[in-house]
Amino acid sequence: MKNLSNTEASASAQHALDSETSSLGTSSEPRRMQSILIGLSCYVMWGILPLYWKLFDHIDSLETLAHRLLWSAIFLIPICLVACRREFLALFRSKRAVLLLLGAGLLITVNWGVFIFAVNAGHIIETSMGYYINPLMNV
């Protein structure tokens, strides 16, 4: 085993850190740009989505909400089973996890319901601004 002085050890550690940081900078730059583009597209979508839901204003808000819940489950349950079957099924073995999932589901349902009702009631601008500003306030 080679003994290094404090200066040599410090220089060696700094060199390793510099090389690791420089490799992270080059490989993470496309990932960073991708993350920014995804974030921006979410904000645009949250701003435009009320116009899409306005097309369904002749349908009762509760019926629209029921369809949204049903079709979300039809598509997402198989995706979760295929993508992470073991982890997904393990969630249902814990009473605490099931209760947390039910609580989160209830909160999302209320959020969706208020959103759809507000759009159908003609509050498109307010709804768009609320969905645009809310993520900014949460971060």
Side-chain angles (χ1 to χ4, degrees):
M1 183 183 262
K2 184 178 176 183
N3 288 332
L4 297 175
S5 69
N6 286 342
T7 308
E8 291 173 332
S10 178
S12 176
Q14 185 62 41
H15 176 69
L17 182 62
D18 289 343
S19 64
E20 186 178 315
T21 305
S22 66
S23 69
L24 286 176
T26 57
S27 65
S28 68
E29 188 61 33
R31 179 90 168 152
R32 181 175 181 222
M33 185 55 71
Q34 179 186 19
S35 299
I36 290 171
L37 291 175
I38 289 171
L40 288 174
S41 65
C42 286
Y43 288 124
V44 169
M45 187 174 69
W46 284 322
I48 294 174
L49 199 57
L51 298 175
Y52 169 75
W53 288 112
K54 184 63 178 167
L55 297 173
F56 301 105
D57 65 348
H58 62 283
I59 300 171
D60 185 55
S61 297
L62 288 176
E63 185 177 348
T64 304
L65 180 61
H67 274 282
R68 192 167 181 184
L69 292 170
L70 175 70
W71 290 107
S72 293
I74 288 172
F75 281 99
L76 289 177
I77 290 173
I79 289 171
C80 289
L81 285 172
V82 170
C84 50
R85 179 181 175 85
R86 188 172 292 152
E87 293 88 356
F88 181 67
L89 293 176
L91 287 172
F92 297 100
R93 291 188 197 112
S94 165
K95 184 178 179 180
R96 181 177 185 274
V98 170
L99 289 174
L100 287 172
L101 288 171
L102 288 172
L106 179 65
L107 289 173
I108 290 171
T109 301
V110 169
N111 182 304
W112 284 352
V114 169
F115 175 79
I116 293 168
F117 177 78
V119 169
N120 286 349
H123 299 284
I124 296 174
I125 299 297
E126 295 92 338
T127 306
S128 293
M129 291 305 293
Y131 261 67
Y132 179 76
I133 292 171
N134 185 39
L136 295 174
M137 300 304 269
N138 289 334
V139 174

